[in-house]
Amino acid sequence: MTHARTRHPAWLVATLVWCGGVLALVGLGVGSTGLQAVWTLWDDPIAAQIVWDIRAPRTVAAFCAGALLGLAGAVAQGLFRNPLADPFLLGSASGASLGVALALATWATSAAAGSWWLRLGLTGAAFVGAVLAVLLTLALARGVQHTLRLLLAGVVVGVVLGALTSLVTLTAPETLAAMQAFMLGTTATVGWAGNALMAGIGCLCLLLAWALARALDGLALGESTAVSLGLPLAPLRAALLAVLALATGTAVAQTGLIAFVGLAAPHLVRGVIKTTHAWLLLMASLMGGVLLMLADTLARGLLAPQELPVGVLTAVLGGGYLLWLMHRRVG
C-alpha cells in the first residue's frame, strides 16, 4: 500500500479511464435479455437502434452524473475539511426534490403530462430548487466565513425543505409515482441533450475547481495556515460553493437523487493514492463516473428483465463500503 501511494497519480487516471471504457462496452450490451456482446448487435437494425437510442445515452449519463457527483464530493470534503461531507450537505437534494414535487403538482394533470416539455420542466425545476436551497443555506449562515454555521444551516434547510416536499406529495397524491422515481434515481430518462449539458457543465466545473485547488490544499492545513499563505478565504469559499452547487444541481436535475457516489469516490481515491487536490479532483470525478457506470450496469443486469433502481444499489454498495471502512479503522 505504501508503495502504491508513492506512484504518480497518472497511473490511477489511466486505470480509471480503462475501467470506464470496459464498463461502457458492457453497459451497451446489457438489456432486458441479459448481457450480449455489443459488436454482435450491429447486424440487427432494431438492436442497433436500441443500443444507440436507449443504452448508449444512459451509459454516458451514468458516467457524466457520477463524475459530477464525484467532483462535488471532493470539493465538499476539502471545503469543510470533513471526510463525511457529501454533495447534498447544503440542502441541494431537498431543494431539488421540492422543485420537482411542485412542478409535478402543477403540471401532472395538464395536457403536457408525459411530454418532452414536462421532462424539460422537471429538469429545470430540480436545478433551480437545488441552487435556491444552497442560496438559502448561505443566507441562514450569513455568508461563508464560518464552516460550522454553514453545516448547521444546511441541515436545517434540508429538514425543512424535506418536510415541505412531503406536504406537497400528500396534497397531490398523483405525483407519488413520479416522485418515487426521482428519489430513487435513474439514468433511463436522460437523452443525448441531457448528456451534452452534463458534459459541458462538468468540464466547466472541473476547470473552475482545478483553478481553486490551491485553496483546498491550504484549507486542508487549517484556516489559520491558509490565511498565513495569503489566501482570501471568503471569496475562495464562495467560488467553491458555486462549483459545488452547480455540479450537484446539474447531476440531480438529470438523474434524480443518487446517494453515496459523491461521498465514496474521494474516499476510494485517497485509499489508493495520496496527492494534492489538483489531481484528487480529476481522479474523484473519474472514480465517480466509474462507480455509477458499474452500479447502473448491475441495476440493469442483475435481475433482468427487471431493473433495480440505481439509487438503491449505490446506497447499498456505498453504505456497505463505508461501514467496512469504519470497522477497519476502529479495529
Side-chain angles (χ1 to χ4, degrees):
M1 178 64 72
T2 301
H3 175 67
R5 292 190 178 195
T6 60
R7 293 179 181 176
H8 195 276
W11 78 268
L12 182 56
V13 172
T15 301
L16 290 171
V17 170
W18 180 84
C19 291
V22 172
L23 286 170
L25 288 176
V26 175
L28 292 176
V30 173
S32 59
T33 57
L35 176 62
Q36 296 174 276
V38 66
W39 50 85
T40 65
L41 301 174
W42 296 116
D43 296 332
D44 183 352
I46 296 178
Q49 186 175 5
I50 290 174
V51 170
W52 178 253
D53 292 339
I54 299 176
R55 297 181 190 175
R58 70 178 301 172
T59 299
V60 175
F63 178 81
C64 290
L68 284 166
L69 293 173
L71 173 63
V75 170
Q77 291 174 16
L79 178 61
F80 296 110
R81 289 182 294 155
N82 187 339
L84 295 180
D86 77 345
F88 303 145
L89 196 63
L90 298 181
S92 57
S94 299
S97 299
L98 180 58
V100 169
L102 289 172
L104 285 171
T106 303
W107 299 327
T109 57
S110 71
S115 70
W116 184 84
W117 285 105
L118 176 61
R119 171 64 188 164
L120 183 63
L122 293 178
T123 300
F127 180 78
V128 171
V131 172
L132 289 179
V134 174
L135 293 177
L136 179 59
T137 298
L138 291 174
L140 290 177
R142 299 177 184 176
V144 296
Q145 288 80 11
H146 303 287
T147 301
L148 180 58
R149 187 180 291 172
L150 266 174
L151 292 173
L152 293 175
V155 171
V156 171
V157 169
V159 171
V160 172
L161 296 186
L164 290 175
T165 301
S166 299
L167 182 61
V168 171
T169 54
L170 284 174
T171 57
E174 67 275 6
T175 66
L176 285 174
M179 276 303 299
Q180 184 182 42
F182 177 83
M183 299 295 289
L184 294 177
T186 181
T187 60
T189 57
V190 184
W192 288 116
N195 283 325
L197 178 65
M198 284 196 290
I201 291 181
C203 290
L204 174 63
C205 289
L206 184 59
L207 288 173
L208 291 174
W210 182 81
L212 297 167
R214 184 170 174 264
L216 291 172
D217 289 336
L219 286 171
L221 301 174
E223 292 190 6
S224 57
T225 303
V227 171
S228 68
L229 293 173
L231 295 175
L233 291 187
L236 288 175
R237 276 202 188 101
L240 288 167
L241 284 172
V243 172
L244 173 60
L246 183 59
T248 306
T250 303
V252 169
Q254 295 296 329
T255 61
L257 304 183
I258 296 178
F260 280 104
V261 172
L263 179 59
H267 271 281
L268 288 171
V269 171
R270 293 192 196 96
V272 176
I273 192 168
K274 295 295 184 183
T275 184
T276 61
H277 278 88
W279 280 101
L280 176 64
L281 293 166
L282 173 61
M283 291 185 289
S285 299
L286 292 173
M287 182 67 79
V290 169
L291 286 177
L292 192 50
M293 287 177 73
L294 176 61
D296 186 63
T297 302
L298 292 175
R300 286 186 280 155
L302 283 178
L303 299 178
Q306 299 296 320
E307 181 175 328
L308 293 170
V310 67
V312 171
L313 198 57
T314 59
V316 171
L317 295 177
Y321 165 73
L322 291 177
L323 287 174
W324 171 81
L325 189 65
M326 292 171 59
H327 175 73
R328 189 185 69 171
R329 289 187 174 181
V330 171

